[in-house]
Amino acid sequence: MIPLRAARSPKLIAYLLLGSAAMLAALATGHGELVAVGVPFLIVLTWTLTIPRPALSGTAAAAPELLTEGGAVTTEVRLQSRGTPHRMELRTSLVAATGEIVGTAVDTLPLSRRRVATALAVSCPQLGRYGVPSVDLFAEDVFGVLAFTGHIDLARTVRVYPAAELLPSPPAPRHTQLRTGNHRSRARGDGIEYAGTREFVPGDHIRRVNARLSSRSPSLQVNEHVPERNTDIVLLLDTFTDLREAGRSSLAAAAHAVASLADVYLAERDRVGFAEFGGIVRWLLPGSGRMQLARILEALLDARLRLHYAWTGIDRLPPQLLPPNAFVIAVSPLIDGRTRQLVLDLWARRRDTAVLELSPLAFMPRPTGRKEALARRAWAVERRAERRELRSLGIAVGEWTYGEPLVEVIQDLDHFRRASAVPRR
């Protein structure tokens, strides 16, 4: 059974006042016609107060527990009614970890039948952990005089992962490892991709001899191939800053980019690590497979702004996270100077580094005056100069505006790295 509590209805007080006022006015003035005005209100009150209180029983279940951004958590409610409630309003809310209500679903259904069922869907706008605490009920009779409230406890937690964008080809790393993967190595050896021919030397396998070319050459010619290797990818998420505007979060947008990059590199059979670089530093050592992707997505759920004013440097990252041939991609709005210094430290230690810069302009209100417009223009010029300085060192920097396709920025990063003069092993 669902316990129902009587709620004060505005009509109950209004009907009581109107009926009593009409009867008192009839006694005071002697006009009997005023009795006819007040009797209907008193009859409705008498009838509604003498009927038995309605009884409800039912169940509610919220699903799924795991979904991606933009998905909806659906709460199915089934009720059985005994009594005479005319209609019922059902309401359920999605509550963030901070206690903020981020979504509400409401449905009104008649209770003319004894058994009713409905589904309440609440959309999940961005990543995080949310709670569905209960389903609140509000029932009233046909005249709206008596009202009852109740609730069905759910206490369900929903995890919302960032939606990974499909990227056809990620930026190619400059260095590869000895493990098998999908990246072409500069060194020639055993592989499946043709690289050229050379003269036969003792020790070459006879199956590598190119019979057609050897028949036209004075010496035996053998085929050469390029081995397929993988690499270690380290994704750095800047949590020093979180810009919010109109319900959008720069940290959630950066997590979306990290999830997309992790998904595509793991599909390339690379080892991917993750680090949250901010007020605190949390990390996942490089790993491979779908299980590593699940670990990274879970870590992104816990990523949040943590204010910390002490200087944080590269020494806070464990050496196991940054192997010598790792490719490091920092996802940051580049507002806090500590993130920019981290990128420069990685470059000084000869780590292959790139920056996916999340444009903060998408999360800032429009300038309202001429002075604000000039200040923003000067700030944009300063940011372009810093971006140009990083590129002059050979660090690829791609500016991404949230809401635009991520694939175009990734392609620009790859083109810049391929055009640079740093060789790849």
Side-chain angles (χ1 to χ4, degrees):
M1 296 295 295
I2 302 174
L4 295 177
R5 298 188 304 271
R8 180 176 296 179
S9 171
K11 286 187 178 181
L12 177 64
I13 301 175
Y15 283 16
L16 179 60
L17 292 177
L18 288 174
S20 302
M23 300 301 291
L24 291 175
L27 292 174
T29 61
H31 294 286
E33 60 271 15
L34 293 178
V35 176
V37 176
V39 166
F41 295 104
L42 297 178
I43 291 176
V44 171
L45 286 177
T46 303
W47 180 78
T48 54
L49 291 176
T50 55
I51 61 174
R53 175 175 296 194
L56 288 176
S57 62
T59 59
E65 295 184 0
L66 177 63
L67 66 160
T68 57
E69 290 176 323
V73 54
T74 302
T75 303
E76 295 185 354
V77 184
R78 299 180 181 273
L79 296 175
Q80 297 179 5
S81 64
R82 295 196 307 273
T84 58
H86 177 65
R87 72 176 185 91
M88 175 166 290
E89 181 181 282
L90 305 178
R91 180 186 299 267
T92 184
S93 300
L94 198 65
V95 183
T98 58
E100 177 187 2
I101 297 178
V102 297
T104 301
V106 181
D107 190 13
T108 302
L109 41 115
L111 292 179
S112 57
R113 295 173 297 172
R114 290 187 176 274
R115 297 175 182 268
V116 293
T118 187
L120 305 173
V122 183
S123 178
C124 301
Q126 60 186 17
L127 83 160
R129 285 187 172 88
Y130 300 93
V132 185
S134 64
V135 176
D136 298 324
L137 304 94
F138 178 82
E140 62 181 15
D141 65 355
V142 64
F143 295 106
V145 175
L146 288 183
F148 302 94
T149 60
H151 69 278
I152 304 175
D153 291 327
L154 286 178
R156 180 60 59 88
T157 300
V158 179
R159 294 176 295 168
V160 182
Y161 284 167
E165 184 176 338
L166 181 61
L167 303 177
S169 59
R174 293 196 174 110
H175 311 294
T176 57
Q177 309 286 356
L178 294 179
R179 294 178 293 271
T180 302
N182 291 354
H183 300 292
R184 294 183 56 187
S185 175
R186 290 180 58 88
R188 299 186 180 186
D190 295 331
I192 61 175
E193 189 167 350
Y194 178 76
T197 59
R198 60 171 175 80
E199 290 188 2
F200 179 88
V201 296
D204 288 336
H205 201 282
I206 191 65
R207 288 184 298 183
R208 298 179 62 181
V209 174
N210 189 322
R212 180 176 296 181
L213 184 61
S214 298
S215 64
R216 301 192 302 267
S217 178
S219 59
L220 289 177
Q221 302 292 317
V222 295
N223 294 326
E224 285 191 312
H225 297 83
V226 176
E228 293 77 25
R229 302 295 188 218
N230 77 348
T231 190
D232 288 337
I233 308 295
V234 180
L235 303 174
L236 296 179
L237 176 64
D238 177 10
T239 57
F240 282 120
T241 307
D242 185 15
L243 305 174
R244 293 181 177 269
E245 171 67 18
R248 298 184 300 172
S249 166
S250 64
L251 191 55
H256 166 86
V258 170
S260 302
L261 290 171
D263 184 46
V264 68
Y265 277 115
L266 287 171
E268 294 285 335
R269 297 190 292 175
D270 291 321
R271 288 166 23 104
V272 179
F274 168 76
E276 176 188 339
F277 191 77
I280 67 171
V281 178
R282 299 186 306 119
W283 64 85
L284 287 173
L285 296 180
S288 57
R290 307 307 297 180
M291 185 59 70
Q292 181 69 2
L293 178 61
R295 295 190 189 100
I296 293 175
L297 293 178
E298 283 290 333
L300 289 174
L301 293 184
D302 296 326
R304 59 181 57 89
L305 175 66
R306 295 178 174 89
L307 295 177
H308 194 273
Y309 298 102
W311 187 261
T312 301
I314 195 175
D315 295 333
R316 296 191 63 184
L317 297 177
Q320 301 91 334
L321 183 66
L322 299 172
N325 291 335
F327 177 29
V328 183
I329 303 178
V331 182
S332 167
L334 289 183
I335 293 179
D336 196 291
R338 289 169 288 189
T339 305
R340 184 173 179 273
Q341 186 60 44
L342 172 66
V343 173
L344 294 175
D345 289 343
L346 290 170
W347 173 82
R349 300 190 185 197
R350 305 184 64 83
R351 294 299 192 272
D352 188 10
T353 309
V355 179
L356 179 60
E357 179 187 353
L358 180 63
S359 176
L361 298 179
F363 305 93
M364 300 175 63
R366 293 182 176 274
T368 57
R370 185 168 177 270
K371 291 184 178 179
E372 291 185 6
L374 290 175
R376 177 172 296 190
R377 188 178 305 173
W379 184 55
V381 171
E382 182 180 353
R383 290 180 62 85
R384 282 198 297 269
E386 294 178 353
R387 195 179 307 124
R388 192 179 304 112
E389 179 184 358
L390 292 176
R391 287 172 177 168
S392 66
L393 300 175
I395 302 173
V397 182
E399 186 180 13
W400 176 46
T401 300
Y402 183 60
E404 297 181 356
L406 181 61
V407 60
E408 299 179 0
V409 183
I410 296 300
Q411 290 176 348
D412 292 341
L413 281 175
D414 195 28
H415 292 162
F416 179 89
R417 290 170 56 79
R418 291 182 185 275
S420 62
V422 180
R424 191 177 108 200
R425 298 199 302 268

